[in-house]
Amino acid sequence: MAAEIVNPRTASSGDSSVGSTDQDRLGEPLDSFDPAFALHRGGKMAVQATVPIRDKDDLSLAYTPGVAKVCSAIAEQPELVHDYTWKSSVVAVVTDGTAVLGLGDIGPEASLPVMEGKAILFKQFGGVDAVPIALACTGVDEIVETVVRLAPSFGGVNLEDISAPRCFEIERKLQERLDIPVFHDDQHGTAVVTLAALRNAAKLTGRELGDLRAVISGAGAAGVAIAKFLLEAGLGDVAVTDRKGVVSTDRDDLTDVKRELAEITNKAGISGSLESALAGADVFIGVSGGTVPEPAVASMAEGAFVFAMANPNPEVHPDIAHKYAAVVATGRSDFPNQINNVLAFPGIFAGALQVRASRITEGMKIAAAEALAAVVGDDLAADYVIPSPFDERVAPAVTAAVAAAARAEGVARR
């Protein structure tokens, strides 16, 4: 029996069961009957020393008085902090808990298991240390000021699970204020892996990105970033849809972010519903969590690609998608072609930190996508357009490509 999930921010205050769990009702620890709780007990990470402290000599070097020499040297030459502390190899994973997985606005404390998970993925797949930081504030300026004040301790900032449209402004303002990489993974990690899979799908079917018209379901952080990134990479055309249909210049209900998006997308001038936009489309990319009717999928162009990435329920179930599409991808690990951010963000940060980059550029992200796509190599097939996160070639390939791109674009400092 699974534990009941309750969102304390949306539950009725008059409901006496709010906040109750199976532990309350059964009187036994949750981890006695649920392996997810058993794994999480005590948290998923810890701090580990990289130097021994075996005796007083070790202590005097690691702490006082030896540490004073290092502190004084850094005070005189601030750049030495990168050589004599962990700053250049550690990332802050920052959230306000407002858009956590599919749970929504559950608050900072409830977001911590996810942030810990993100941190151990950084370490496992990229060799990058990361520290979860859950903030008890949601205002754009509050978050920006807080992170700016924390930044001296870190070599990069990974923004995570912050709701749109605030996430766009927060990322932009932080990158303007800081000289270290700031990366909102919900946007850019998703976009990088999507581009890699799309490049290989196009290659498999003998097409170029410029030949393709795509439809994206979802105009949140991921949808907006994917649209912009695919156009930057050379996609022929893309229409983005929200709950009210295609994001187009003839609508008067658009936010500033969607208005800007409408100006650069939808060259075909499509209006109306998602279903109407899909007619004749070459690519469907789902980042919305909705459901696409089968007739709409059937109306897509011959040899279409369906990337239905909502979790746990894809917008189009693979069994349906395979009836009509040449390549099918999801966000789930139990189907082929998983579009998983863990393929991108560890290597991207590892490459950026390796060369002490001041930011992560579009060129660095495109290099990451190309390197990720290249890992598939001659094994390219309809059920293998993107490698597994456990393919040991992935992180080194992405790291090297990102580092080289940073040097080429002039943002590397070593």
Side-chain angles (χ1 to χ4, degrees), residues 221-258:
V224 171
I226 291 170
K228 290 182 176 179
F229 191 54
L230 293 183
L231 289 173
E232 179 77 18
L235 185 73
D237 192 15
V238 58
V240 182
T241 66
D242 61 12
R243 290 184 179 89
K244 296 183 179 180
V246 176
V247 175
S248 57
T249 54
D250 60 355
R251 284 176 50 180
D252 59 7
D253 61 345
L254 301 179
T255 63
D256 291 343
V257 170
K258 290 181 183 180

Side-chain angles (χ1 to χ4, degrees), residues 20 30 43 105 111 142 152 155 162 240 245 247 262 280 293 295 354 356 387 392:
S20 67
L30 290 167
D105 182 0
S111 77
E142 286 181 295
I162 298 174
V240 182
V247 175
Q354 185 180 96
R356 205 177 298 163
E392 295 181 356

Side-chain angles (χ1 to χ4, degrees), residues 1-22:
M1 183 176 180
E4 179 182 4
I5 297 176
V6 177
N7 185 338
R9 298 190 174 200
T10 58
S12 168
S13 59
D15 184 352
S16 61
S17 67
V18 169
S20 67
T21 65
D22 289 339

Side-chain angles (χ1 to χ4, degrees), residues 18-282:
V18 169
S20 67
T21 65
D22 289 339
Q23 184 175 16
D24 299 327
R25 291 193 291 270
L26 301 178
E28 57 182 300
L30 290 167
D31 50 354
S32 66
F33 50 89
D34 191 319
F37 283 91
L39 182 143
H40 282 79
R41 179 170 289 278
K44 299 192 292 285
M45 55 187 297
V47 174
Q48 180 176 333
T50 60
V51 297
I53 302 181
R54 299 159 298 195
D55 52 38
K56 65 178 183 179
D57 291 333
D58 289 343
L59 181 60
S60 69
L61 288 173
Y63 200 54
T64 185
V67 73
K69 298 178 183 179
V70 181
C71 293
S72 298
I74 294 171
E76 293 177 8
Q77 300 180 59
E79 284 301 303
L80 291 177
V81 70
H82 299 286
D83 298 316
Y84 295 106
T85 73
W86 78 335
K87 177 181 171 71
S88 280
S89 61
V90 65
V91 170
V93 180
V94 178
T95 190
D96 63 357
T98 56
V100 182
L101 297 180
L103 303 175
D105 182 0
I106 60 174
E109 289 86 358
S111 77
L112 272 174
V114 178
M115 300 310 114
E116 288 183 5
K118 198 78 173 190
I120 63 175
L121 294 180
F122 264 110
K123 189 66 173 180
Q124 174 73 24
F125 293 103
V128 173
D129 290 302
V131 177
I133 298 177
L135 302 178
C137 59
T138 58
V140 169
D141 290 336
E142 286 181 295
I143 292 174
V144 170
E145 292 299 328
T146 302
V147 175
V148 166
R149 284 162 173 73
L150 291 169
S153 295
F154 300 97
V157 175
N158 183 85
L159 300 175
E160 190 75 22
D161 292 350
I162 298 174
S163 63
R166 296 174 310 116
C167 59
F168 302 112
E169 188 177 4
I170 290 168
E171 183 186 42
R172 177 180 59 78
K173 287 187 171 183
L174 281 173
Q175 193 60 86
E176 289 172 353
R177 298 272 302 271
L178 299 176
D179 66 346
I180 58 176
V182 179
F183 186 86
H184 185 209
D185 186 50
D186 299 324
Q187 293 183 59
H188 309 302
T190 309
V192 165
V193 184
T194 301
L195 174 58
L198 190 57
R199 279 193 182 281
N200 274 342
K203 180 180 178 181
L204 180 69
T205 55
R207 288 177 281 180
E208 302 290 336
L209 287 181
D211 300 329
L212 305 175
R213 178 173 74 84
V215 176
I216 297 176
S217 174
V224 171
I226 291 170
K228 290 182 176 179
F229 191 54
L230 293 183
L231 289 173
E232 179 77 18
L235 185 73
D237 192 15
V238 58
V240 182
T241 66
D242 61 12
R243 290 184 179 89
K244 296 183 179 180
V246 176
V247 175
S248 57
T249 54
D250 60 355
R251 284 176 50 180
D252 59 7
D253 61 345
L254 301 179
T255 63
D256 291 343
V257 170
K258 290 181 183 180
R259 192 174 301 110
E260 178 189 347
L261 187 65
E263 294 292 339
I264 63 172
T265 59
N266 194 22
K267 296 176 189 174
I270 298 168
S271 60
S273 66
L274 167 67
E275 289 83 354
S276 62
L278 280 175
D282 301 293

